[in-house]
Amino acid sequence: MTRNLTRSLTQQLNVTRHGRGAIPVVMLHGFGCDQTVWSRLLPRLEADYQLILLDLSGFGASDPAAFDPQRHGTPAGHAENLAALCEELQLEGAMMVGHSIGGTIGMMASLLRPGTFDKLCLICSSARYLDEPPHYRGGYSEAELDGLMQLMEQNYLDWAGALSTIALGDAGTPSHRHDLQQRLLAVPPEVLRPLARSIFFGDTRHLLPGVSIPSVVVQTAHDAIVPMEAAEYLADSLPRGELVVMQSAGHYPQLTDPETLAWVLRGCLTLQDH
């Protein structure tokens, strides 16, 4: 406990900086990963941006002593951490790039600490994964999500393998699938299971109208985790939202198509909307 109280959030969340540019960009990994998921993207961006990476609490090289099962079992808890970290770093007018739930966490942090971000880039993110027919398609029925959670409880190894195959889709080579499966398995089940339930059954749609800054939803053309309807809903519901579709497949373009993603992000990480 003493260690936890004396370490800064910069240390607790294993914050690293990369790049030589003047524009600060906070990059948030998604579910089951850590900051190394961006490694294939960094060489393509670090010449022009100041990239700030971190490991969400419980993931990667974050401080295990700082992990709070109740708080960090929800995206809201991670968003509070992120807002506090940005205060510690005195970030103002930065950009945020978040993958999947990382995008949602960044969006929530922007509401907790206005002025931190001037623009959001949400890669393959969703405000709601559960279908609510006939008006909303999140991609999953309640029975499908229950089955996914049951497999996660019963056989963590099989769950990680199945999710890796589904998430990468046609873009996934055996090497990609092995990489993603190992990333998922590296996270302790007691960290991932409660967060998975909170994410897959959660709903952040009510927050979207309050996001006043420009927000770009970057979506791959074929994503088995986030259907295009959910991406369109997200972009349409954000007051200054815009949808950019990558002609790529899979839920993890930073792993499978970093060159195209870097090109797309370069177009997103500007303040031309201001």
Side-chain angles (χ1 to χ4, degrees):
M1 181 61 69
T2 302
R3 180 187 177 207
N4 187 8
L5 292 174
T6 56
R7 299 194 82 196
S8 67
L9 274 169
T10 301
Q11 295 171 313
Q12 290 178 23
L13 301 179
N14 186 35
V15 173
T16 63
R17 293 177 182 264
H18 309 260
R20 302 173 294 278
I23 302 173
V25 180
V26 176
M27 303 185 73
L28 300 173
H29 64 83
F31 178 76
C33 292
D34 59 31
Q35 63 180 273
T36 63
V37 78
W38 301 113
S39 61
R40 297 172 192 171
L41 197 62
L42 296 186
R44 296 170 168 87
L45 296 177
E46 56 190 3
D48 299 305
Y49 304 98
Q50 178 193 150
L51 306 172
I52 303 170
L53 278 60
L54 62 132
D55 293 329
L56 296 173
S57 192
F59 296 83
S62 63
D63 185 355
F67 177 73
D68 181 328
Q70 185 170 0
R71 182 182 187 194
H72 297 124
T74 67
H78 290 288
E80 291 169 1
N81 261 23
L82 177 60
L85 172 66
C86 291
E87 177 69 28
E88 182 175 291
L89 298 176
Q90 297 185 314
L91 278 181
E92 302 287 344
M95 308 284 192
M96 191 286 297
V97 172
H99 172 248
S100 196
I101 193 60
T104 304
I105 289 168
M107 179 196 74
M108 296 170 77
S110 76
L111 296 174
L112 294 173
R113 189 175 182 267
T116 299
F117 302 124
D118 277 355
K119 198 165 193 180
L120 307 177
C121 294
L122 313 173
I123 303 169
C124 298
S125 295
S126 176
R128 175 73 159 163
Y129 289 93
L130 186 62
D131 291 337
E132 291 185 7
H135 304 296
Y136 179 79
R137 180 169 181 249
Y140 295 88
S141 68
E142 188 168 357
E144 288 171 330
L145 289 178
D146 282 335
L148 191 63
M149 293 305 304
Q150 187 175 14
L151 179 60
M152 194 179 189
E153 293 285 343
Q154 293 175 346
N155 193 320
Y156 200 60
L157 179 63
D158 283 356
W159 168 83
L163 185 60
S164 299
T165 300
I166 293 168
L168 292 171
D170 293 339
T173 64
S175 176
H176 288 139
R177 288 191 290 272
H178 177 76
D179 179 14
L180 183 55
Q181 182 181 25
Q182 293 307 303
R183 289 177 183 278
L184 293 168
L185 291 173
V187 186
E190 59 270 21
V191 171
L192 214 49
R193 282 172 181 153
L195 183 60
R197 181 166 292 279
S198 180
I199 291 170
F200 290 128
F201 288 94
D203 191 349
T204 57
R205 290 176 295 176
H206 63 289
L207 298 177
L208 303 181
V211 180
S212 60
I213 55 179
S215 306
V216 182
V217 176
V218 179
Q219 182 61 37
T220 58
H222 306 284
D223 182 352
I225 303 296
V226 178
M228 190 59 67
E229 294 95 325
E232 291 170 346
Y233 177 93
L234 180 59
D236 290 343
S237 300
L238 289 162
R240 301 176 70 182
E242 174 190 358
L243 177 64
V244 175
V245 178
M246 290 177 58
Q247 295 307 312
S248 306
H251 189 63
Y252 289 83
Q254 67 273 54
L255 293 178
T256 57
D257 195 2
E259 185 174 357
T260 301
L261 180 58
W263 182 83
V264 169
L265 288 178
R266 285 182 177 279
C268 298
L269 297 175
T270 68
L271 294 178
Q272 60 188 11
D273 295 330
H274 284 202

